[in-house]
Amino acid sequence: MTHNLIPAVEYALQCPTCRTRLDRNSNVKLSCSSCKSVFTSNATGTFDLRIQKPKKVSIAFQIPFPCNRKDIPYSEDLPQNPRPQVDFGAIPVPHHLSGELMTHFPKASEKGALMLDLGCGNTVHRQVCEHAGFTYVGVDYESPEAPFLADAHALPFQDESFEFLLSIAVLEHIQFPFVAIREAQRVLKPGGIFIGTVAFLEPFHSNSFYHHSRIGTLNTLLYGGFEIAHIAASTSWTVFTAQADMSGHTLFPRFPKFLSRNIILLPDRMSRVWRKMGLLLNDRIIKKRWADVTSGAFYFIARKPR
């Protein structure tokens, strides 16, 4: 796919190092008049906007930092939005985007409104985001299929450029998530929606740095200055299914995949049966926080304050 640099996206670009607006020298070159950095694109139009030299970033923490678990209602799985803004029934939706998550997707406020897919990979989310009316902007640190290569710690975009931010299974791969969450908040418009997932009990994979529990997700989002609507465990993607799908070959090397998968999933099935029995008996011990200690990942729906 060839990526075209449309005017609205070009206007939003800034130097990731010094935050000066970038000048377009040609179809394949952007430059910064302040720090003299030059950014080029490849044959498909992917611009490499990763920082080219070390950059110092200062952040501060308040100790103790307010992170009240009661700030959000507890839910075992993400509830559906009873009034979804977009109907995705007519298009294929990537399998890792649950039906519940899709009901929370916003609709673009106007034609051409920009959204950012942070950690976009091969732009698998492009169709659903464009179906919602957005102009799609995707960034990834290394995927050659991304429209832009960029570092989440230093995003190459002006303040308040996007009204929707999507981040699927990305935060666990970021070396300094508190820096990145502030960047995400910076580039989002006031009132903008931030939707995503973050790994919890998934295996280590692709240089994952910090997997997030429910309160870890809450803490990171609150530090970023977000208002949180939902943080919910995935009850279908448990620690057992994650291990079976992602590391069965490591736990049982040279074992047939269907056998290793069923061995790993056995305690998951037994736990679900036992839990259902406990629920029938109204056993509060069995009901309590089951999802929080078995989930492979958490969903989150947040908003930048107006």
Side-chain angles (χ1 to χ4, degrees), residues 5-296:
L5 187 56
I6 65 173
V9 178
E10 181 181 346
Y11 181 79
L13 294 176
Q14 69 174 21
C15 176
T17 302
C18 69
R19 296 189 174 181
T20 300
R21 192 180 300 278
L22 293 175
D23 299 317
R24 187 169 184 173
N25 304 100
S26 67
N27 289 334
V28 296
K29 186 180 293 186
L30 298 166
S31 65
C32 174
S33 60
S34 181
C35 69
K36 308 304 179 185
S37 296
V38 176
F39 305 93
T40 58
S41 67
N42 61 21
T44 63
T46 297
F47 273 97
D48 188 346
L49 296 175
R50 294 172 292 190
I51 55 176
Q52 299 175 353
K53 50 191 174 183
K55 176 181 179 178
K56 288 188 177 182
V57 177
S58 297
I59 57 174
F61 294 94
Q62 175 184 326
I63 309 290
F65 181 71
C67 182
N68 190 345
R69 299 183 218 183
K70 296 181 180 179
D71 285 348
I72 54 170
Y74 174 81
S75 59
E76 284 198 347
D77 219 330
L78 185 67
Q80 284 198 358
N81 180 356
R83 293 181 292 277
Q85 296 183 22
V86 186
D87 181 3
F88 291 100
I91 66 168
V93 175
H95 68 88
H96 57 270
L97 299 180
S98 70
E100 292 79 12
L101 188 71
M102 297 306 296
T103 66
H104 293 273
F105 264 53
K107 183 178 181 179
S109 63
E110 59 183 4
K111 184 178 180 180
L114 301 182
M115 69 79 54
L116 179 64
D117 187 358
L118 184 61
C120 67
N122 64 355
T123 68
V124 65
H125 306 128
R126 178 187 288 271
Q127 185 176 12
V128 294
C129 294
E130 291 181 341
H131 182 76
F134 291 101
T135 293
Y136 179 88
V137 181
V139 300
D140 199 273
Y141 190 75
E142 58 186 8
S143 173
E145 300 176 76
F148 297 99
L149 295 179
D151 191 324
H153 302 98
L155 291 172
F157 303 107
Q158 299 281 333
D159 295 359
E160 302 179 2
S161 293
F162 305 97
E163 64 177 49
F164 174 37
L165 180 57
L166 184 66
S167 171
I168 302 297
V170 174
L171 284 177
E172 66 267 27
H173 299 294
I174 293 176
Q175 190 170 7
F176 303 109
F178 291 112
V179 175
I181 203 71
R182 285 289 176 92
E183 277 292 273
Q185 198 260 16
R186 179 183 66 80
V187 301
L188 197 59
K189 291 178 180 292
I193 301 296
F194 184 21
I195 290 178
T197 66
V198 60
F200 178 38
L201 293 178
E202 289 180 359
F204 172 85
H205 60 285
S206 301
N207 293 329
S208 46
F209 286 94
Y210 301 104
H211 290 208
H212 283 51
S213 65
R214 182 189 296 270
I215 60 173
T217 306
L218 173 65
N219 187 59
T220 299
L221 290 169
L222 288 178
Y223 183 80
F226 287 98
E227 297 173 346
I228 296 131
H230 297 284
I231 296 175
S234 173
T235 56
S236 58
W237 184 248
T238 68
V239 57
F240 302 106
T241 52
Q243 292 289 343
D245 287 359
M246 298 174 66
S247 64
H249 61 284
T250 302
L251 296 173
F252 296 95
R254 300 185 181 180
F255 224 55
K257 184 176 181 179
F258 77 96
L259 286 177
S260 64
R261 177 177 173 81
N262 280 294
I263 291 172
I264 297 169
L265 289 178
L266 181 60
D268 184 50
R269 293 165 182 153
M270 294 175 65
S271 172
R272 289 177 186 273
V273 170
W274 182 249
R275 182 169 175 271
K276 286 181 180 179
M277 293 173 61
L279 292 176
L280 289 174
L281 298 172
N282 196 29
D283 189 323
R284 293 183 179 181
I285 295 176
I286 290 178
K287 290 171 66 176
K288 187 178 180 180
R289 302 287 183 177
W290 176 82
D292 275 18
V293 297
T294 61
S295 183

